[in-house]
Amino acid sequence: MRTTTRLATAMTAVGALTLTACGGSGFDDDTSTEDAAGRSISVLIGSSGDAETAAVTAAVDAWSAESGVDATVNVASDLSQQLSQGFAGGSPADVFYLTNDTVATYASNGSLDAYVDGLANVDDFYPNVLDSFTYDSEVYAAPKDFSTLALIINTDLWAAAGLTDADVPTTWDELETVAAALTTDTTVGLAISPEFARVGAFFAQNGGWLVDEDGTPAADSPENVEALTYVKDLMAAGSLKYATDVGAGWGGEAFGTGAAAMTIEGNWITGALTNDYPDVAYTVAELPAGPAGKGTIQFNGGWGVAADSPSKDDATALVEYLTQPEQQLGFSEAFGVMPAVLSAADTWKTDNPDLAPFLEGADYARSIPSVVGISDVVEDLNAQLQALSSGDPQTILDSTQQNLEAIVP
Amino acid sequence: MTTTQDRPQTRTPRPRKSRTHGREAAAGWLFISPMLVLLGLFLVVPVLMAAWVSVSDWSGRGSPFSSDVSFVGTDNYSALLSEPGLAQSDFGRALRNNGYYVLFVIPLQTAVSLFLAVMVNRRILRGRGFFRTAFYFPSVTSSVAITVIFLFLFSTTGAVNKALSWLGVNGPSWFSDPGGIIHVALRGLGVDTPPAALAEHGLLGNSWWDWLSGPSPAMSVFIIMAVFTTSGTFMLLYVSALQNIQGEIEEAGIMDGANGWQRFRSITLPMLKPTTFTVLTLGLIGTWQVFDQIYVGTQGGPAKTTLTPAYLSYTSSFQNNQWGRGAAIAFVLFAIIVTMTIVQRILLRERTAVPRRRRFYPDGKDER
């Protein structure tokens, strides 16, 4: 194993050197169409639907027309499987979607090119989004978009329970009060998906997280135990339920069907509500602050470039084009994601005033640590969280701590 | 065995025989060579490659045979079998879940398929063809489609829970309740906390109490589904075996004054033994390899209660890039299947040895 890591580092270094070598010519140089003849790159995306596929294809085609390089967009049916197959077979797609929780896995075996530092617009990305794509102090993906969690409130049920705008919860106590007030025989106050990617927001609000600032495992910290106990208490009081326990696949479904008056979800919920439950009136609020202040979780999407790609220059140029503010705002309009570049933030907020709480979250959001094997640990934590109502917070977090200690170098 | 008629043929002059046989052998090899090449290319070579990956530290980039990949001995196997950790406890959990699946599915599907076969084989049954088709139908439907239908039927607010509510039963949320049915039953009897002896000791990173949980409601749905989909296929095997049992034997039983159950128990069932062996073996292999239902339906959830070795092997390899571990899981699974098949073969073979004195025909004639 250790040999592999060293090897991976070596390969990364080689990759970085290659990139520096290319840096001389620069990506901005206009490559004339004749030079580009016969060159081609492939793009692999995991699409949320036709809107996303169409928008990405249009953007890539526009770049293709401008640069003269042929580019094809393929939609993966199972992105991680197809990426793994590409890397193993030695012929991966040149440019592809990556999420922050998979970066460590692919970077550790040298499959990814650490090209991001060479981008002209590297300073425009949200720093904490860039951080989440960092493995071994190299950045492996240029942020494409990101999402944060916020509190989604059903305004009709809210009014029916006699609550007003002034009651929107800003603390844990207030959340407890409104969740109880909203709970009826047929509706639960708050329903969330049974996973760390939701429950973990409470950890962050209490100053805890899976790891501390130095990256040392800290899952069993008193802050985390307290946060998980708070969630468990809400559950015992009947004002918080898992979406699966009210017959829904995820928080958005529980919210849309009216089984829950509030849910904690990311900005992707807006698309789902528009499509599937257009009659539900809702408002978005920042998650209530815990004892240690505000906290939420962010999920980041980025563009990866394969280390084995024969056309890394073209790939990098494409990514640079796709991460410009105009493109990011275009994607946002087409399929509702939040731009990951600072220069587009203000425009986005003006265009989407109702969704601003999602973007506010970027200032204090935490993301899943970028460590090899983290998905197994989170998966195991999820499994235990599903039995939280009969489980013991301390025991759950102790076992997660053990699992984390086994993978953090 | 030693019939005199066969002898002359084997005594044909040597040269001629070998020439003919030589040519026949060559032709034989020629005819099977496409198949051999295909099998070799798509079966033997990949299996050997997987065997190498399971003892290597291949990280999933480039060829597993490149010089960067090194031999790590049994590291991948010991991570699963002897080193405490997440890999081991996940594997233990997968074995437990699949063990319960096998334990419930095999007896149920064998019994149900035999029952159906006997029913549709009756001459007095009207519309036998219709019933045969109806019972066989689930087997030809894609398992993905059936899984999706079952997901709907067994959802918390689905048809099954509706039907249960008419009977006054509050159905569980099938796909989100992580409690095993034995645990739930024990809780009903007032056993809420595990006895210390069971909680403190265990195997493969799971306490004995965990091992004794029983299948979760989600796994139970998959068990019902497996019985529903496979018993049709096995029913066909039994039907064809039943049709080979001649009416005279049945008549002889009637003459001897045996009633219906006695004839089934002492005549039909023993004569079906070869088919039963096939059904059990196919069942054993199929149930230990359960994958598509899990992949489509639950992805191992809730709380890892539908994780199976085959699915774990897939996620380890393709999602976590632990290719060595994924391959090792596949080989442990292979070992389990082979061992259980051999054990079952030995068990069934012993019972087929009918004591000599009970043989109906004198020695020698029964083999005709």
Side-chain angles (χ1 to χ4, degrees):
Chain A
M1 225 47 228
R2 209 158 273 157
T3 341
T4 326
T5 325
R6 220 176 292 141
L7 191 82
T9 326
M11 281 174 173
T12 316
V14 172
L17 278 178
T18 323
L19 198 72
T20 333
C22 303
S25 64
F27 308 112
D28 305 343
D29 292 5
D30 274 337
T31 33
S32 65
T33 319
E34 293 96 87
D35 288 350
R39 299 216 306 263
S40 69
I41 67 171
S42 62
V43 181
L44 186 69
I45 65 170
S47 177
S48 63
D50 292 343
E52 182 166 359
T53 311
V56 175
T57 311
V60 171
D61 284 349
W63 173 81
S64 191
E66 204 179 290
S67 66
V69 178
D70 272 345
T72 42
V73 176
N74 296 308
V75 180
S77 54
D78 187 331
L79 185 66
S80 59
Q81 179 190 324
Q82 279 170 254
L83 279 180
S84 296
Q85 280 172 340
F87 295 140
S91 55
D94 300 296
V95 181
F96 40 82
Y97 276 14
L98 269 184
T99 51
N100 58 301
D101 53 339
T102 55
V103 163
T105 311
Y106 296 127
S108 66
N109 68 4
S111 297
L112 300 181
D113 187 46
Y115 69 99
V116 181
D117 284 337
L119 290 178
N121 57 343
V122 66
D123 296 328
D124 196 21
F125 297 118
Y126 277 91
N128 57 349
V129 180
L130 268 190
D131 277 352
S132 73
F133 288 121
T134 305
Y135 173 76
D136 237 2
S137 51
E138 292 274 8
V139 187
Y140 284 95
K144 168 171 75 73
D145 53 53
F146 74 105
S147 310
T148 59
L149 296 177
L151 189 67
I152 322 292
I153 299 168
N154 183 321
T155 43
D156 293 339
L157 294 173
W158 186 261
L163 298 166
T164 64
D165 285 353
D167 295 316
V168 171
T170 53
T171 65
W172 279 9
D173 285 343
E174 288 174 21
L175 179 67
E176 201 172 336
T177 316
V178 297
L182 287 164
T183 304
T184 66
D185 290 344
T186 52
T187 305
V188 65
L190 176 62
I192 56 174
S193 301
E195 53 184 326
F196 172 72
R198 302 292 176 279
V199 178
F202 291 98
F203 292 18
Q205 290 154 15
N206 202 27
W209 195 236
L210 290 177
V211 292
D212 64 13
E213 269 94 62
D214 312 326
T216 321
D220 59 352
S221 68
E223 289 85 8
N224 288 346
V225 177
E226 201 187 349
L228 199 51
T229 311
Y230 171 75
V231 175
K232 191 181 168 175
D233 289 347
L234 281 184
M235 241 177 212
S239 49
L240 185 157
K241 276 187 185 161
Y242 284 143
T244 41
D245 290 331
V246 295
W250 61 296
E253 191 185 340
F255 184 81
T257 54
M262 298 188 292
T263 187
I264 297 175
E265 280 297 338
N267 33 305
W268 51 78
I269 192 177
T270 57
L273 289 176
T274 315
N275 290 333
D276 300 340
Y277 310 100
D279 300 333
V280 177
Y282 64 93
T283 175
V284 179
E286 283 182 74
L287 289 180
K294 290 180 177 179
T296 186
I297 304 182
Q298 69 182 11
F299 308 88
N300 308 319
W303 292 108
V305 169
D308 286 336
S309 162
S311 35
K312 275 186 269 196
D313 284 354
D314 289 332
T316 315
L318 171 61
V319 172
E320 201 169 70
Y321 176 83
L322 292 174
T323 50
Q324 295 304 316
E326 312 84 74
Q327 300 298 336
Q328 296 237 334
L329 285 167
F331 290 152
S332 164
E333 204 173 313
F335 52 96
V337 292
M338 287 199 294
V341 288
L342 294 161
S343 55
D346 286 336
T347 322
W348 193 82
K349 267 189 228 175
T350 326
D351 291 351
N352 306 279
D354 299 340
L355 305 180
F358 286 118
L359 200 59
E360 303 290 350
D363 298 336
Y364 49 85
R366 308 289 309 253
S367 23
I368 305 285
S370 183
V371 183
V372 179
I374 191 74
S375 51
D376 272 347
V377 174
V378 172
E379 194 76 9
D380 191 69
L381 177 56
N382 288 346
Q384 299 196 60
L385 285 177
Q386 284 171 17
L388 176 64
S389 60
S390 62
D392 170 42
Q394 183 75 53
T395 319
I396 293 175
L397 293 167
D398 280 348
S399 76
T400 304
Q401 175 73 6
Q402 263 184 10
N403 294 335
L404 272 177
E405 280 167 0
I407 59 161
V408 171
Chain B
M1 255 346 243
T2 53
T3 38
T4 41
Q5 274 176 336
D6 292 345
R7 282 282 159 90
Q9 277 174 7
T10 53
R11 272 190 201 153
T12 34
R14 237 166 195 283
R16 209 181 113 206
K17 175 200 135 188
S18 82
R19 223 183 302 139
T20 327
H21 277 230
R23 245 182 278 143
E24 273 174 14
W29 282 107
L30 187 70
F31 280 122
I32 60 166
S33 58
M35 200 57 219
L36 277 185
V37 170
L38 283 179
L39 275 183
L41 212 58
F42 294 107
L43 207 73
V44 180
V45 172
V47 166
L48 291 178
M49 282 173 79
W52 160 245
V53 169
S54 80
V55 291
S56 79
D57 64 353
W58 186 51
S59 63
R61 182 179 177 222
S63 161
F65 299 109
S66 73
S67 54
D68 315 328
V69 179
S70 42
F71 178 73
V72 293
T74 55
D75 277 10
N76 289 319
Y77 290 92
S78 55
L80 293 176
L81 301 172
S82 60
E83 285 166 24
L86 203 51
Q88 192 202 33
S89 66
D90 277 353
F91 185 61
R93 234 172 283 184
L95 282 185
R96 174 199 67 187
N97 299 336
N98 212 339
Y100 280 115
Y101 184 79
V102 173
L103 203 67
F104 282 90
V105 169
I106 293 191
L108 279 175
Q109 81 185 9
T110 312
V112 169
S113 56
L114 179 59
F115 176 76
L116 291 179
V118 172
M119 288 299 125
V120 301
N121 198 42
R122 292 183 145 191
R123 280 180 187 82
I124 45 168
L125 180 74
R126 277 167 189 272
R128 281 190 292 168
F130 168 75
F131 284 107
R132 284 181 197 178
T133 315
F135 293 138
Y136 186 60
F137 212 69
S139 305
V140 289
T141 315
S142 109
S143 69
V144 172
I146 293 192
T147 308
V148 173
I149 290 170
F150 268 64
L151 287 180
F152 280 120
L153 287 178
F154 284 86
S155 84
T156 313
T157 50
V160 169
N161 276 2
K162 260 288 153 50
L164 285 176
S165 72
W166 293 333
L167 304 171
V169 181
N170 222 340
S173 22
W174 295 90
F175 287 104
S176 66
D177 200 339
I181 56 173
I182 297 179
H183 276 182
V184 171
L186 286 174
R187 203 170 300 148
L189 296 172
V191 187
D192 225 353
T193 45
L198 290 178
E200 281 158 21
H201 305 283
L203 178 72
L204 290 176
N206 288 275
S207 69
W208 291 119
W209 178 250
D210 289 335
W211 281 96
L212 289 174
S213 70
S216 68
M219 198 43 132
S220 309
V221 172
F222 287 133
I223 290 170
I224 296 169
M225 198 173 98
V227 174
F228 174 70
T229 50
T230 49
S231 40
T233 316
F234 295 138
M235 173 196 78
L236 276 199
L237 292 184
Y238 273 128
V239 166
S240 68
L242 283 171
Q243 286 174 347
N244 275 338
I245 300 178
Q246 278 136 16
E248 292 86 34
I249 303 174
E250 186 87 2
E251 278 168 26
I254 296 172
M255 294 300 288
D256 286 344
N259 64 27
W261 171 249
Q262 282 171 330
R263 271 173 300 170
F264 175 74
R265 178 78 189 70
S266 314
I267 299 175
T268 314
L269 213 50
M271 294 198 73
L272 289 176
K273 195 154 274 175
T275 312
T276 305
F277 175 74
T278 313
V279 168
L280 289 178
T281 310
L282 290 177
L284 204 58
I285 296 170
T287 47
W288 273 110
Q289 288 179 340
V290 54
F291 176 82
D292 23 359
Q293 294 93 313
I294 313 292
Y295 179 75
V296 177
T298 59
Q299 317 255 307
K304 295 188 180 178
T305 55
T306 57
L307 199 64
T308 64
Y311 184 71
L312 186 65
S313 169
Y314 166 77
T315 51
S316 304
S317 310
F318 284 94
Q319 279 166 18
N320 300 329
N321 265 12
Q322 301 274 6
W323 295 88
R325 187 183 298 165
I329 293 173
F331 278 96
V332 175
L333 189 59
F334 173 71
I336 291 173
I337 294 175
V338 169
T339 315
M340 294 192 86
T341 310
I342 291 173
V343 167
Q344 177 222 334
R345 198 187 158 92
I346 291 169
L347 287 179
L348 281 189
R349 193 195 270 160
E350 269 174 1
R351 278 191 227 138
T352 45
V354 182
R356 186 167 279 243
R357 64 175 183 282
R358 280 218 257 142
R359 283 193 181 167
F360 190 77
Y361 293 107
D363 191 34
K365 274 191 184 172
D366 58 333
E367 304 212 11
R368 271 302 171 93

